Amino acid sequence: MSCYKITGGRPLSGSLAVHGAKNSVLPMLAACLLVPGQCVLRNVPDLSDVSATIDILRLLGCRVDREGDAVLVDASVLNRSDVPEHLMREMRSSVIFLGALLARLGVAELSYPGGCELGPRPIDLHLTALRTLGAVILEEQGVLCCQNGGLQGREICLSIPSVGATENAMLAACGCPGLTTILGAAREPEIVDLQNFLRAMGAKVTGAGGSAISITGGAPLHPAEYRVMGDRIAAATYLCSAAVTEGEIEVDGIEPDTLTAVLACLEEAGCTLHTDPGRIVLACSAPLRGVRQVRTAPYPGFPTDAQAILMAALAGGEGATLFVENMFDSRYRHVDELRRMGADIQVAGRAAMVSGAGRLHGAAVRATDLRGGAALVVAGLGAEGTTQVSGLGHIRRGYERFPQNLRALGAEIREIPA
Ligand code: UD1
């Protein structure tokens, strides 16, 4: 079993350009299906989730090439409309292909994405949104068969601001004649990024970033080139890595406005921050202090994806912090692993009380999900002694050249092959 071997306590310093946002690029790759021609996405990170999405595009008949950080998707010819189970199982977010295939072909067949490591993740809102637009969806033995039952722009009300359901509805609406309005839409920056890409393709979309998005669909779209925004969760991970090692780093290629909630916590914990458009500089010269409360919430609230990462940083600091995870069940699986490193964390339902235990110590720990795995790396960078993090498959889903980037900043981290 391969693992990262980390010797903690080396202060990080230097600068790093953060890679493109995983959560932007996945729906954008699916959006390429809307156009019979070649789209070019730039700043596309080399991640296993991206490769899995490209596998699906190729299976559907697209020609997909990678040139450096660009991915070229030619969806001129599609020869099937179904995504088989083994590809759906790779990644829950591939449910986004439902909206894209429906818009392009008027038909889609996907196996049910099912649960995942964050607990049950239903797709009822996705299905209700598509049905509202006129899709007929049958669920039979774990397969979703989706057909055009008279697609037409309509008003969709989301009872929860689901990121995936908002994106699925946006893509489907591009293929529906007339006006679609998505009320209660998620407001995440990645949705604004998707809107901008769709606009580059000629789609009439407005309102992303707010809770009402309007799409006038049905008109043909054209191929486009687009640069994906920087990954705010990867940026948060590198910032927390610098903070736990009492280092100083500059992260480029990231809009500070997309990380306001995380930056506020780091500042409260004792870090000094300096921001400019496109860059964040963090310096930390003492152990992190506890912060009042960290409650995960839809954007612009504190992102659930940064919860484990900040928790790992604060667990090795001083003072107490109450975390409340409001977005997903089972999102405290990193806690047992952090305890092996000496962390003092008590979990009760959605709440986790972290009592800063001072410097953690190295241990053999295992990633059980993407961000929980990144959190263990952050903890290891700050800990005394050597930490071995296994379960790297989870971490590779969301971080490009993770050990290499950390090493370039002065960390002692090596990948030990199986
Ligand atoms: C996306 C992100 C993920 C992030 C999450 C929340 C991608 C590829 N993934 O996931 O990294 O952690 O947003 O910011 O962009 N829900 C329902 N029914 C549905 C859909 C969602 O009840 O049909 C619930 C979920 O269980 C969860 C909440 O809505 O409690 C938010 O989930 P959602 O925003 O949909 O997350 P994802 O789009 O899956």
Side-chain angles (χ1 to χ4, degrees):
M1 200 185 343
S2 61
C3 69
Y4 292 150
K5 192 168 177 186
I6 305 164
T7 303
R10 310 281 188 268
L12 299 196
S13 70
S15 64
L16 163 108
V18 78
H19 60 66
K22 170 178 87 74
N23 288 353
S24 280
V25 81
L26 302 180
M28 283 181 197
L29 285 168
C32 291
L33 288 179
L34 300 179
V35 181
Q38 179 178 276
C39 289
V40 180
L41 292 172
R42 302 197 181 277
N43 201 25
V44 177
D46 187 8
L47 307 172
S48 59
D49 272 10
V50 170
S51 308
T53 308
I54 289 175
D55 286 346
I56 294 177
L57 288 171
R58 287 196 175 123
L59 175 117
L60 294 171
C62 298
R63 192 194 149 119
V64 187
D65 295 303
R66 195 180 243 284
E67 289 176 7
D69 77 350
V71 169
L72 292 62
V73 181
D74 188 338
S76 297
V77 180
L78 298 186
N79 42 35
R80 56 195 281 183
S81 57
D82 64 306
V83 182
E85 201 215 335
H86 70 278
L87 289 176
M88 284 301 294
R89 215 185 313 122
E90 286 285 305
M91 220 182 16
R92 183 188 176 281
S93 55
S94 36
V95 69
I96 190 77
F97 280 98
L98 216 46
L101 284 168
L102 198 63
R104 172 76 185 272
L105 301 174
V107 51
E109 200 175 302
L110 264 58
S111 73
Y112 208 88
C116 78
E117 69 269 7
L118 303 183
R121 290 176 81 170
I123 56 163
D124 55 314
L125 299 172
H126 300 241
L127 302 185
T128 304
L130 300 182
R131 283 181 173 128
T132 304
L133 294 175
V136 175
I137 306 175
L138 301 175
E139 299 171 58
E140 279 169 12
Q141 295 176 341
V143 176
L144 295 162
C145 297
C146 196
Q147 291 197 331
N148 181 347
L151 289 174
Q152 174 67 44
R154 290 198 177 84
E155 187 174 282
I156 295 168
C157 294
L158 295 177
S159 54
I160 301 174
S162 156
V163 174
T166 301
E167 294 167 343
N168 231 332
M170 286 167 79
L171 298 194
C174 286
C176 297
L179 175 68
T180 294
T181 311
I182 307 170
L183 302 176
R187 299 168 55 195
E188 267 67 3
E190 292 77 11
I191 291 175
V192 179
D193 216 23
L194 178 62
Q195 167 178 278
N196 291 341
F197 177 47
L198 292 172
R199 278 188 185 165
M201 300 196 303
K204 293 187 174 54
V205 193
T206 55
S211 51
I213 300 176
S214 301
I215 301 124
T216 305
L221 303 182
H222 54 74
E225 266 193 55
Y226 189 79
R227 185 178 167 82
V228 178
M229 67 180 261
D231 194 307
R232 61 197 170 101
I233 305 301
T237 308
Y238 289 111
L239 293 172
C240 286
S241 302
V244 284
T245 60
E246 296 179 30
E248 176 167 355
I249 66 163
E250 171 177 330
V251 179
D252 298 317
I254 183 73
E255 284 313 320
D257 290 355
T258 63
L259 264 180
T260 306
V262 175
L263 299 185
C265 289
L266 286 170
E267 208 153 34
E268 195 182 335
C271 302
T272 306
L273 287 151
H274 179 84
T275 61
D276 287 312
R279 91 185 178 125
I280 302 171
V281 179
L282 176 143
C284 186
S285 55
L288 292 173
R289 299 190 296 262
V291 304
R292 261 163 300 174
Q293 266 189 15
V294 180
R295 292 177 173 272
T296 67
Y299 191 83
F302 190 92
T304 174
D305 287 350
Q307 175 257 108
I309 294 157
L310 183 67
M311 184 182 289
L314 295 180
E318 294 167 355
T321 303
L322 174 68
F323 282 78
V324 182
E325 173 54 58
N326 292 309
M327 303 300 290
F328 292 108
D329 302 330
S330 306
R331 209 160 193 185
Y332 285 139
R333 292 175 68 187
H334 49 282
V335 167
D336 280 344
E337 304 301 304
L338 289 174
R339 284 197 188 118
R340 287 173 190 267
M341 302 177 70
D344 178 352
I345 305 171
Q346 304 302 321
V347 175
R350 293 184 170 277
M353 177 57 87
V354 179
S355 304
R359 231 175 135 193
L360 303 181
H361 55 76
V365 289
R366 186 172 173 70
T368 55
D369 63 90
L370 164 58
R371 304 305 171 183
L376 299 178
V377 173
V378 169
L381 292 169
E384 209 164 302
T386 303
T387 299
Q388 292 201 14
V389 182
S390 59
L392 301 190
H394 292 291
I395 299 176
R396 290 193 190 107
R397 290 185 42 219
Y399 294 88
E400 183 183 71
R401 297 175 56 78
F402 199 23
Q404 292 90 334
N405 287 339
L406 289 167
R407 255 199 321 270
L409 295 168
E412 200 172 322
I413 173 168
R414 276 185 305 133
E415 183 166 341
I416 312 289

